[in-house]
């Protein structure tokens, strides 16, 4: 089964419009036609300009969050339809920083996921365990619960559009990474959870990314594993040269 391979940069709360467009121009010159897809999750304010700048390239622009409702009196929120309108093609949902700092729960993320799919915006669903959960031996039960509750009620035809990003929280921004072998086993476990609920065909067709302190020196080790179909990159996605080295991991 040939799964889509996707490397996503997550800029978090960094970069102005000018910085974003300069980045897209530089990056596109450094990543000639790749078999892996390149996604950039940029701040809301830079989506429109970055998407226009990326239109003639193979880079797709997306958002890092969105509202769970379609429109209404929700001061400060941004709806999926508005993101699409601005040029976003995907959205990161349930990042651990959203879960931790903004109290997002699996059921809330599930509502956002369904909303994104309704609006034809591809979701990247983030899951991952804390250090305490890992040390208590709870990684698998935590991931299973996150997967089943966040994906609850999705039809097969929609599920195959979802990208899963496994990001152990202790590896995010810390310089520590899980070994490629450990991540491979965890991805295979996630696939087995999905297979049990939705069937093996769906599970085998889903892209599962790894995230957490990915850098040029470790990108290839992850990408060579059979169940690691992509990467979600935070700090190393802020510099176009460094990020291009991750995208060009085979060189
Ligand atoms: P990091 O962040 O690459 O800086 O560890 C990853 C993420 O938060 O998605």
């Amino acid at each position: 089964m040939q799964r889509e391979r996707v490397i996503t940069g997550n800029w978090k709360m960094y970069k102005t419009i000018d910085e974003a467009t300069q980045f897209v121009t530089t990056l596109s010159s450094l990543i000639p036609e790749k078999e892996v897809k390149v996604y950039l999750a940029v701040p809301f304010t830079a989506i429109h300009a970055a998407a226009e700048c990326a239109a003639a390239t193979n880079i797709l622009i997306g958002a890092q969050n969105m509202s769970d409702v379609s429109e209404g009196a929700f001061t400060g929120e941004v709806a999926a339809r508005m993101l699409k309108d601005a040029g976003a093609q995907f959205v990161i949902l349930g990042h651990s920083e959203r879960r931790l700092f903004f109290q997002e729960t699996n059921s809330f993320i599930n509502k956002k996921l369904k909303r994104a799919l309704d609006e034809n915006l591809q979701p990247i669903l983030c899951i991952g365990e804390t250090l305490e959960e890992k040390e208590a031996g709870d990684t698998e039960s935590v991931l299973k619960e996150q997967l089943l509750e966040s994906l609850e009620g999705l039809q097969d035809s929609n599920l195959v559009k979802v990208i899963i990003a496994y990001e152990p929280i202790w590896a995010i921004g810390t310089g520590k990474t899980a070994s490629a072998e450990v991540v491979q086993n965890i991805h295979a476990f996630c696939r087995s959870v999905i297979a049990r609920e939705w069937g093996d065909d769906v599970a085998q067709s889903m892209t599962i990314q790894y995230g957490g302190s990915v850098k040029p020196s470790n990108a290839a080790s992850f990408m060579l594993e059979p169940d690691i179909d992509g990467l979600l990159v935070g700090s190393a996605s802020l510099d176009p040269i460094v990020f291009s080295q991750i995208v060009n991991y085979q060189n």
Side-chain angles (χ1 to χ4, degrees):
M1 156 81 55
Q2 204 38 36
R3 283 190 284 271
E4 223 156 50
R5 293 160 78 74
V6 182
I7 296 183
T8 305
N10 171 17
W11 286 353
K12 309 191 180 183
M13 202 170 70
Y14 292 99
K15 293 196 193 294
T16 60
I17 292 172
D18 265 1
E19 289 164 348
T21 52
Q22 273 171 35
F23 182 108
V24 170
T25 307
T26 308
L27 180 68
S28 63
S29 69
L30 297 170
I31 50 161
E33 274 308 297
K34 289 277 140 198
E35 73 169 271
V36 17
K37 287 183 147 186
V38 181
Y39 287 18
L40 283 178
V42 310
F44 290 140
T45 46
I47 290 174
H48 189 245
E52 288 206 326
C53 192
T57 73
N58 57 349
I59 301 167
L60 296 189
I61 301 298
Q64 304 167 17
N65 181 36
M66 53 165 253
S67 170
D68 61 318
V69 296
S70 59
E71 62 180 359
F74 298 99
T75 303
E77 288 294 274
V78 179
R81 201 162 63 89
M82 297 166 183
L83 297 178
K84 285 275 295 187
D85 186 41
Q89 301 195 46
F90 72 93
V91 59
I92 296 177
L93 295 175
H95 189 279
S96 61
E97 286 152 15
R98 303 280 333 158
R99 293 174 187 262
L100 183 67
F101 302 134
F102 302 95
Q103 288 74 47
E104 292 197 8
T105 60
N106 291 329
S107 64
F108 187 50
I109 293 160
N110 177 254
K111 283 178 72 185
K112 293 189 181 201
L113 229 129
K114 288 174 175 162
R115 174 72 52 206
L117 288 163
D118 278 354
E119 304 283 354
N120 242 335
L121 204 54
Q122 183 179 29
I124 299 182
L125 166 68
C126 299
I127 57 170
E129 81 284 6
T130 63
L131 186 60
E132 297 73 55
E133 289 163 343
K134 171 180 140 72
E135 285 175 348
D138 291 339
T139 299
E140 290 196 349
S141 60
V142 168
L143 296 180
K144 184 176 174 191
E145 184 173 294
Q146 289 177 339
L147 281 171
L148 295 181
E149 291 184 7
S150 306
L151 299 173
E152 194 270 319
L154 257 66
Q155 305 296 317
D156 293 7
S157 56
N158 266 337
L159 200 68
V160 294
K161 298 177 194 152
V162 178
I163 294 178
I164 308 282
Y166 167 57
E167 298 205 297
I169 295 167
W170 49 269
I172 295 178
T174 59
K176 292 186 196 138
T177 53
S179 74
E181 205 183 330
V182 168
V183 176
Q184 160 59 29
N185 288 337
I186 291 178
H187 282 207
F189 168 76
C190 292
R191 230 181 269 291
S192 74
V193 170
I194 292 165
R196 242 171 281 138
E197 201 66 22
W198 286 277
D200 204 42
D201 284 355
V202 172
Q204 288 304 326
S205 67
M206 286 183 76
T207 296
I208 307 183
Q209 299 179 318
Y210 167 75
S213 299
V214 172
K215 40 187 185 277
S217 59
N218 60 25
S221 69
F222 293 114
M223 291 301 284
L224 290 172
E225 295 290 341
D227 283 291
I228 305 179
D229 314 306
L231 303 165
L232 181 52
V233 186
S235 42
S237 75
L238 292 172
D239 179 309
I241 296 175
V242 176
F243 189 56
S244 74
Q245 289 165 350
I246 293 174
V247 173
N248 297 330
Y249 67 92
Q250 277 159 321
N251 302 349

